[in-house]
Amino acid sequence: MTSRLALIAAPLLLLAACGPAKQPGAAKPPAAEAPAKSGPVAIAVTPYIGGPLNIRADGVGPITGETAFDAATIKALFPKAVVKSAFIHTGEGPPGPILTVDQDNVPLLEIGKDAEGGIGEIRMAGGPVQGPKGEALLAKWADLGFDIAQCRAGEGRTVNQTVCVRPEAPTVSYVFGVPGWTQGGLPPVEVLKAKGQLNEFVWRPAEKAAVGAA
């Protein structure tokens, strides 16, 4: 190498040696956060152990419109109860499947199955059930604030009874009996006020409920 080329190359080598170097303790760039996993969210449901069993527009105690018609599922929601499968004949056609729920030797629920395989209705004629406004079985019609326009004559299983529905809870039917009334149709208001008493609640999921249905 000539002396002229050596003089040019030397500064270039010096600059390369002085270039940026990796620091031994340099922090690594933060890693990108993993995307949050999506999927169904589990909602905790409190099983019914005892005490008042509240009927709401959207369900009965731990049961909602999404609850499966399944003995094991109902047993998990009512762990102290006796849950049995049965059939009931309510009209023309073959008997329909039901689940009965008894607790403390008292019939608590009768759960009917709909045509799609889900819960079609729940009937409650015993036990510590309470309506949406805290109403209890055997309450007097005159004490519950119904207007006769909210009621109709019962049919089928509720023949000779009076079925009433509150506008704010159309999924809940109140079934009133009048001792000695066998004429069919809707009793006069005076008769309901004097003798009408609440014999049963019937709850249906919103998509299956019809105002006044029982």
Side-chain angles (χ1 to χ4, degrees), residues 116-138:
E116 290 74 39
I119 291 178
E121 67 177 21
I122 301 176
R123 293 181 175 268
M124 294 149 281
V129 294
Q130 291 186 348
K133 291 190 173 183
E135 306 95 336
L137 293 170
L138 303 183

Side-chain angles (χ1 to χ4, degrees), residues 37-146:
K37 294 182 178 180
S38 60
V41 178
I43 301 175
V45 176
T46 303
Y48 173 80
I49 304 299
L53 180 60
N54 296 314
I55 305 166
R56 310 174 310 279
D58 65 345
V60 177
I63 297 176
T64 70
E66 303 302 318
T67 303
F69 181 89
D70 173 73
T73 298
I74 300 302
K75 177 61 179 176
L77 296 177
F78 294 82
K80 291 191 174 183
V82 176
V83 179
K84 295 181 179 180
S85 298
F87 289 87
I88 190 168
H89 198 285
T90 58
E92 297 181 0
I98 62 171
L99 297 173
T100 61
V101 181
D102 296 359
Q103 186 156 319
D104 299 326
N105 297 316
V106 175
L108 191 60
L109 308 176
E110 179 192 300
I111 305 173
K113 189 176 184 179
D114 68 8
E116 290 74 39
I119 291 178
E121 67 177 21
I122 301 176
R123 293 181 175 268
M124 294 149 281
V129 294
Q130 291 186 348
K133 291 190 173 183
E135 306 95 336
L137 293 170
L138 303 183
K140 302 300 183 183
W141 187 88
D143 296 334
L144 297 188
F146 280 103

